[in-house]
Amino acid sequence: MNDALMKQMKERIEALKKLPGVGSKSIKDVLEENGFTRRDFLKWSAAMAAMLGLPASFAPVVAEAAEVSDRLPVVWLHLAECTGCSESLLRTDAPTIDDLIFNYINLQYHDTIMAAAGWQAEENYEEALEKFAGRFILCVEGGVPTKDGGEYLTIGPEAETGLAKLKRTASKAAAIIAVGTCSSFGGIQAAYPNPTGTVGINKVLNKPVINVPGCPPSAKNIVGTIVYVILYGQLPAVDNFNRPKWAYGLRIHDLCERRGHFDAGEFVEQFGDAGAENGFCLYKVGCKGPYTFNNCSRERFNQHTSWPVQAGHGCIGCSEPDFWDSMAPYEEPLANKKFMSVDADATADKVGITILTVAGVAIAAHAALSAIKNPKE
Amino acid sequence: MAKRVVIDPITRIEGHLRVEVVLDENNVIKDAYSSATLWRGIEVILKGRDPRDAGFMTQRICGVCTYSHYKAGITAVENALGIEPPLNAKLTRTLLDFALFFHDHIVHFYQLHALDWVDIISALKADPKKASEEAFKYVPKGYEPIATGEDHLREVQKRVAKFAEKGDLGPFKNAYWGHQTMRFTPEQNLIALSHYLKTLEMQRIAAQMMAIFGGKNPHPQSLTVGGVTCVMDLQDPARLAEYMTKFKELADYTNRAYYADIVMAAAAYGNEPSVVQKNNLGNYLTYRTMQTSANSWLFDACGYIKDFDLSKFYEIDESKIEEDVTHSWYKDTGFRHPYNGETVPEYTGYVDGESINGEGKLVHTKVANPEGKYSWIKSPRYNKEPMEVGPLACMVVNYAKGNEKVRKVVDEFLAQTGLPAEALFTTLGRTAARMLQTKTIADYGLEAFNNLVENLKVDKTTVTPYVIDKNKEYKGRFIGDVPRGMLSHWCRIKDGKIENWQAVVPSTWNAGPVDGNGKKGAYEVNLIGMKLADPTKPLEVIRNIHSYDPCIACAVHVMDVKGKKLGEFKVDPLYGAC
């Protein structure tokens, strides 16, 4: 099995090596210029392999994949969004390898950072589509408004709708990555009553889309997905919501630093109380960690500086579809959820109201929560 | 015959923006149209929600000024409920603001704006030794330049040369390199280029600075109605030290790079007409921001100046804030206070026309219809007058009010550059004001940090408890300055749910279309009179528009589909008019 996989990846990398790259310098040179050793790079490769669920013996292949990343043209399209995902990428770890990988891919179009504007920017766009037809990765940030023909977003001198531009671009892309919850599931603008008819991009495309949700997603999940595409030449194994399993396979709750307090039945009853000062579990003030599939509790944010649960606020479930509606109110346990007459499911209700209020039986709650599985396969 | 230039997309901004200018035979701008091309409808989505959720949703208005709308959403609800968060919470929020301003302003100048001033290709011709010496000319007294040693510059040059040799400049291709209004010498370009790269590193430190008490960045998550949740971090001396260290790093960088580069730009661009042309709109509006103790704010002015007159300061009257949609894609007529917002989308699109393309040919384009509607942005007005908001407004209005810290920072800058105060009212001045605002924070911001530490010794409260009475109706607002200028959020709560929400954001004030009285907003009116060297490369327009740091996702979201009347407007005595 592993041998076959190794063979597949090596073939893929050999094929990529034959493509014209942007530069003549290898990532080794880039590393040296930035003061990194080969050892650091291999360490990163091993970590990335582990993150992608590959055996340790695959680390050298991951390193090779990173080295051919300049063969990978990327077109980044902004639709209905807040630019938070681009900002997240801009803050990607530095000076670590993730950042170099991102700097090292062949970024053909990204309107938040590119120098050209207006006609010149449009020219770059059309040229990239033509020159790299069938070869580029399309990263989409933002949902796509569909109501009234998509008139809520237009781009360019001919006022092409975002919907038309997305379809046109996607038809030429080799792979499509929905970066963030907006492009994955519609995001904030698709929350009830969704006045612009915004949807996740997979709803209007007839090609597979890999979703990397989060509001915003961590840079690691974005970079990891790109490395995966290079390695496999195909989209990673995903769950029911097209999220890569390697990043979204575990619940926030599974590796949470406050998990011990949950198991011990120690909860923050309200913000600012003694439980908050002691770092107790945030379930009762609305943490959605038990219902949210993502790796935040392991990876954290901003070079591991912190994450919402560490800062004393519960998870709001931002990588789940329709979380703006299904997880609200964000500061109440899901059990008490009653929004737009939709009641929370019976299990959560029982856990939140009946069991969790009784200290000492949280183990039972844990058993119940564990019944919530990532919708795999 | 009049020629039109359509610039869509305006890149290196947040959001989707188009700007059209009409030129006379001498390529002087006679008219201009600013048009936002995306609408998302976040206020209508807020209706019927739990008021405690508002901050998280308003936050998603923008991922760049990622904290501004979060704080505004939470504070507007606190104001409506009549509660005041503990001092610890207020000061912690200020610390998050500092991180945001540092981040936003340096990223704006280097990553978004610098390519309008700095010619990367020209930097390749520079003499690193001369450039290294040159860098000493611009730093403030008592500082040495950063990242401009000869060896360092040589490395920067090598990296960029390798990049340029590839033949595919990636995100840097097809820009306006060699444009005749680019004024830096090769050496100056090299200095700025080095800082462009260095800023990528510094902005991560600013983001970490926010994450310490904010949980993450973008979209921090440690505010709650009534206070802040990061009580453990606040009581951890190691965390406090981490914050202070990063603050000092950013403050140091502000002086040794950002400040110095603006002084350098003032020296080089002082003779470039398009950047020192005086604005045509002389009204500037701001509101107090960054609380530094129980009763003081770093920028304490709540008011405006008129007709460029720095000698008279006027206090704001909140009831005079209104919005008009005559030329915006909404149904309605007349001016309305945000509490009475009545807006239904009515997209009428663009009309067929012609404009000059990148090759100088007249080609078919969709163009704005000046007689009709042409933007998703509304037109806010104060007492029926357009106002410019932003760091320039913050600095000049605080200056006029007599804010001593602001006066000191501004006067020193004017003295060092030899520029008159008048020079502030230009594209160059607007870009300088953003830096001067950052420097004010760098010089005086730690006061807030020190006051927080002192207060934590005697008071550990971080949250004020409250009850939302379902039988009561509430009304409240947030007003304050954020990185792009004066922001206000206005809310009404009924039956324990959000009845109405309206946001009047900085980029709306600046980027809105002409109003029903024929008065233009800052973008449009300030472009008029500017001469373009080459209509196929409208760099002067882009430089001017970038100097406002456009945030268009922020500016386009205002709507109340039901068109309800929302009752009278009253200022809550708790926050009050200042």
Side-chain angles (χ1 to χ4, degrees):
Chain A
M1 176 59 201
N2 277 350
D3 289 349
L5 188 60
M6 181 75 89
K7 189 163 169 275
Q8 180 200 337
M9 287 183 179
K10 285 199 161 162
E11 279 170 12
R12 164 77 182 153
I13 289 168
E14 284 310 312
L16 274 176
K17 277 182 181 166
K18 293 191 181 102
L19 292 176
V22 229
S24 50
K25 61 182 171 178
S26 69
I27 196 151
K28 190 165 155 281
D29 297 331
V30 181
L31 289 170
E32 278 170 4
E33 278 168 30
N34 287 278
F36 289 92
T37 63
R38 186 75 191 164
R39 201 163 157 267
D40 287 332
F41 181 49
L42 290 174
K43 240 162 72 184
W44 172 85
S45 304
M48 181 56 80
M51 198 163 125
L52 295 171
L54 293 166
S57 58
F58 279 64
V61 194
V62 173
E64 268 195 87
E67 289 187 17
V68 298
S69 63
D70 73 329
R71 267 70 171 173
L72 200 70
V74 172
V75 170
W76 189 289
L77 187 57
H78 286 84
L79 299 176
E81 45 85 37
C82 77
T83 314
C85 300
S86 286
E87 290 280 329
S88 176
L89 254 183
L90 190 61
R91 289 140 173 83
T92 181
D93 296 32
T96 72
I97 311 294
D98 292 19
D99 177 52
L100 293 179
I101 300 295
F102 191 70
N103 286 337
Y104 202 62
I105 57 173
N106 181 357
L107 189 61
Q108 286 290 315
Y109 187 93
H110 187 300
D111 67 24
T112 315
I113 57 174
M114 65 192 296
W119 288 102
Q120 283 78 11
E122 284 289 291
E123 215 170 86
N124 289 358
Y125 197 85
E126 302 304 335
E127 195 186 297
L129 256 53
E130 198 180 312
K131 194 166 153 194
F132 300 105
R135 287 198 285 132
F136 66 91
I137 291 195
L138 171 62
C139 290
V140 180
E141 182 175 355
V144 58
T146 60
K147 200 178 151 194
D148 303 320
E151 68 187 23
Y152 297 97
L153 168 63
T154 65
I155 305 166
E158 287 292 345
E160 185 179 19
T161 62
L163 182 62
K165 188 156 187 167
L166 170 66
K167 285 183 173 175
R168 183 162 72 88
T169 313
S171 71
K172 295 192 173 178
I176 305 166
I177 300 175
V179 180
T181 298
C182 292
S183 52
S184 297
F185 309 124
I188 181 89
Q189 48 277 315
Y192 180 86
N194 193 355
T196 55
T198 294
V199 295
I201 59 169
N202 68 322
K203 292 274 197 294
V204 301
L205 300 176
N206 51 14
K207 279 186 162 183
V209 173
I210 181 96
N211 290 331
V212 185
C215 191
S218 74
K220 279 201 172 66
N221 289 357
I222 304 170
V223 172
T225 303
I226 289 172
V227 170
Y228 193 102
V229 171
I230 300 172
L231 276 174
Y232 289 78
Q234 64 187 39
L235 303 180
V238 292
D239 66 9
N240 259 6
F241 302 121
N242 280 343
R243 299 177 294 196
K245 282 186 197 167
W246 58 264
Y248 300 87
L250 287 177
R251 289 170 304 170
I252 300 274
H253 189 58
D254 294 336
L255 291 173
C256 180
E257 65 202 43
R258 297 188 187 223
R259 178 59 178 275
H261 292 294
F262 176 88
D263 291 346
E266 295 169 336
F267 296 96
V268 174
E269 300 290 337
Q270 57 184 26
F271 291 118
D273 68 5
E277 286 189 43
N278 288 316
F280 286 178
C281 174
L282 297 161
Y283 180 83
K284 286 192 183 181
V285 284
C287 183
K288 305 301 187 291
Y291 318 102
T292 305
F293 292 85
N294 206 336
N295 51 9
C296 313
S297 41
R298 185 178 61 200
E299 302 292 337
R300 303 190 185 192
F301 293 87
N302 306 101
Q303 296 77 56
H304 311 287
T305 302
S306 192
W307 66 298
V309 168
Q310 183 173 351
H313 199 284
C315 162
I316 62 169
C318 76
S319 51
E320 296 302 307
D322 306 322
F323 81 98
W324 290 113
D325 292 335
S326 64
M327 300 286 185
Y330 315 120
E331 295 185 349
E332 296 227 352
L334 196 52
N336 297 343
K337 184 178 84 71
K338 274 193 178 129
F339 182 69
M340 301 301 164
S341 318
V342 181
D343 287 357
D345 68 272
T347 313
D349 206 34
K350 202 172 157 209
V351 171
I353 291 170
T354 317
I355 304 178
L356 287 187
T357 47
V358 185
V361 291
I363 305 287
H366 172 220
L369 286 168
S370 296
I372 299 167
K373 299 276 187 214
N374 187 2
K376 289 173 185 172
E377 276 84 51
Chain B
M1 197 196 133
K3 293 170 285 191
R4 190 181 284 255
V5 179
V6 172
I7 311 167
D8 184 355
I10 299 269
T11 53
R12 282 181 280 127
I13 62 163
E14 198 300 315
H16 296 273
L17 175 69
R18 132 189 312 233
V19 168
E20 300 180 13
V21 293
V22 180
L23 306 176
D24 69 7
E25 62 279 8
N26 298 316
N27 293 333
V28 174
I29 298 173
K30 290 287 155 201
D31 211 345
Y33 304 99
S34 157
S35 169
T37 66
L38 165 69
W39 181 73
R40 299 163 74 211
I42 289 176
E43 276 100 338
V44 73
I45 291 166
L46 279 163
K47 288 185 175 206
R49 308 256 169 186
D50 189 315
R52 293 170 298 174
D53 288 354
F56 299 96
M57 304 190 84
T58 53
Q59 179 174 33
R60 269 63 188 190
I61 287 174
C62 183
V64 177
C65 50
T66 172
Y67 171 66
S68 307
H69 296 283
Y70 185 26
K71 186 182 71 175
I74 297 276
T75 318
V77 173
E78 287 166 351
N79 180 241
L81 298 176
I83 55 166
E84 201 163 347
L87 183 60
N88 288 334
K90 289 179 178 175
L91 295 177
T92 303
R93 290 177 183 184
T94 299
L95 299 191
L96 293 176
D97 257 329
F98 292 158
L100 177 71
F101 276 72
F102 274 130
H103 189 280
D104 250 30
H105 287 353
I106 59 170
V107 166
H108 175 261
F109 181 65
Y110 290 101
Q111 270 65 48
L112 305 182
H113 202 17
L115 300 178
D116 306 330
W117 306 85
V118 179
D119 188 328
I120 291 187
I121 307 302
S122 147
L124 297 176
K125 291 181 279 190
D127 176 343
K129 188 167 184 288
K130 272 196 207 156
S132 177
E133 286 160 12
E134 170 116 10
F136 282 86
K137 286 193 208 164
Y138 309 111
V139 279
K141 210 174 154 210
Y143 289 91
E144 308 281 340
I146 194 168
T148 55
E150 187 187 338
D151 55 343
H152 187 94
L153 291 177
R154 213 175 280 287
E155 280 301 311
V156 167
Q157 214 173 24
K158 227 159 59 183
R159 279 174 72 181
V160 178
K162 275 191 188 174
F163 188 72
E165 277 164 18
K166 287 192 232 170
D168 185 341
L169 288 175
F172 301 110
K173 77 177 152 203
N174 217 4
Y176 307 125
W177 313 130
H179 193 277
Q180 75 180 79
T181 65
M182 291 267 197
R183 293 296 168 91
F184 278 152
T185 63
E187 282 72 27
Q188 290 169 330
N189 281 315
L190 183 58
I191 293 167
L193 181 58
S194 172
H195 290 156
Y196 177 98
L197 298 169
K198 182 77 182 168
T199 302
L200 285 170
E201 195 183 310
M202 298 309 298
Q203 59 96 21
R204 289 179 192 103
I205 296 171
Q208 288 165 352
M209 196 174 142
M210 181 180 281
I212 291 169
F213 299 120
K216 65 184 174 101
N217 171 295
H219 295 332
Q221 198 167 312
S222 66
L223 264 52
T224 186
V225 172
V228 294
T229 66
C230 52
V231 52
M232 288 177 79
D233 297 300
L234 285 171
Q235 293 185 14
D236 181 347
R239 273 309 220 194
L240 291 166
E242 209 180 324
Y243 181 91
M244 188 177 70
T245 306
K246 291 183 194 302
F247 182 100
K248 285 181 175 170
E249 271 183 89
L250 266 305
D252 187 54
Y253 189 66
T254 301
N255 279 302
R256 296 170 64 196
Y258 191 11
Y259 189 97
D261 288 346
I262 297 289
V263 174
M264 181 169 85
Y269 278 85
N271 61 354
E272 169 47 43
S274 66
V275 304
V276 294
Q277 173 188 311
K278 193 174 176 188
N279 297 337
N280 296 320
L281 177 63
N283 308 331
Y284 299 87
L285 178 67
T286 194
Y287 206 84
R288 75 181 173 200
T289 188
M290 299 183 207
Q291 187 161 0
T292 49
S293 74
N295 294 306
S296 63
W297 282 258
L298 190 53
F299 302 101
D300 60 349
C302 303
Y304 59 98
I305 62 167
K306 290 194 293 190
D307 302 324
F308 309 102
D309 185 356
L310 282 164
S311 70
K312 284 199 194 98
F313 164 78
Y314 302 89
E315 295 215 348
I316 196 168
D317 172 356
E318 294 173 24
S319 67
K320 291 184 174 165
I321 296 172
E322 292 177 302
E323 292 193 295
D324 170 76
V325 295
T326 307
H327 294 280
S328 312
W329 285 312
Y330 306 96
K331 286 180 189 163
D332 199 9
T333 49
F335 293 79
R336 285 177 186 275
H337 187 273
Y339 273 138
N340 302 319
E342 186 174 303
T343 332
V344 182
E346 184 185 48
Y347 186 70
T348 50
Y350 299 93
V351 295
D352 288 306
E354 284 184 326
S355 72
I356 298 170
N357 74 1
E359 286 152 9
K361 290 182 190 138
L362 215 53
V363 293
H364 177 272
T365 323
K366 292 285 186 184
V367 298
N369 174 11
E371 309 303 318
K373 294 172 181 288
Y374 61 88
S375 180
W376 285 113
I377 298 182
K378 287 182 169 186
S379 304
R381 295 293 181 259
Y382 180 81
N383 200 18
K384 304 281 186 292
E385 290 298 324
M387 292 274 163
E388 177 174 330
V389 300
L392 174 56
C394 178
M395 297 311 281
V396 295
V397 178
N398 274 285
Y399 192 95
K401 183 172 182 278
N403 180 319
E404 282 174 20
K405 290 166 180 154
V406 167
R407 281 195 164 231
K408 184 164 183 288
V409 168
V410 171
D411 285 339
E412 278 174 8
F413 173 77
L414 294 176
Q416 187 175 353
T417 55
L419 292 170
E422 284 279 289
L424 291 170
F425 302 115
T426 63
T427 298
L428 179 69
R430 193 174 296 108
T431 298
R434 189 169 292 106
M435 179 279 294
L436 293 169
Q437 190 179 44
T438 316
K439 175 151 169 74
T440 311
I441 295 168
D443 288 359
Y444 301 105
L446 274 184
E447 275 177 31
F449 176 85
N450 294 335
N451 288 339
L452 173 63
V453 172
E454 284 306 307
N455 199 58
L456 279 166
K457 288 177 187 168
V458 294
D459 165 23
K460 301 215 183 311
T461 332
T462 46
V463 178
T464 299
Y466 62 94
V467 181
I468 301 177
D469 185 341
K470 294 198 171 163
N471 299 313
K472 263 178 84 177
E473 287 190 35
Y474 301 96
K475 190 162 56 176
R477 58 88 178 118
F478 163 87
I479 310 184
D481 256 44
V482 296
R484 287 166 188 80
M486 193 182 91
L487 168 69
S488 59
H489 278 239
W490 311 75
C491 75
R492 284 171 57 92
I493 299 164
K494 198 182 167 185
D495 303 328
K497 288 178 175 164
I498 294 168
E499 171 84 352
N500 185 262
W501 198 282
Q502 295 281 310
V504 184
V505 314
S507 293
T508 319
W509 286 94
N510 292 340
V514 62
D515 66 30
N517 293 337
K519 293 192 175 180
K520 283 177 166 289
Y523 282 15
E524 293 187 349
V525 74
N526 287 343
L527 280 170
I528 293 171
M530 187 179 290
K531 185 177 163 71
L532 302 192
D534 176 358
T536 70
K537 291 176 179 161
L539 177 61
E540 299 90 333
V541 175
I542 289 159
R543 193 187 283 128
N544 175 269
I545 295 296
H546 279 161
S547 74
Y548 296 90
D549 194 3
C551 197
I552 303 305
C554 290
V556 288
H557 48 267
V558 187
M559 168 169 165
D560 169 2
V561 279
K562 288 178 188 157
K564 283 183 187 159
K565 295 242 176 191
L566 296 166
E568 69 184 279
F569 160 66
K570 215 166 106 186
V571 177
D572 192 292
L574 193 64
Y575 282 75
C578 50

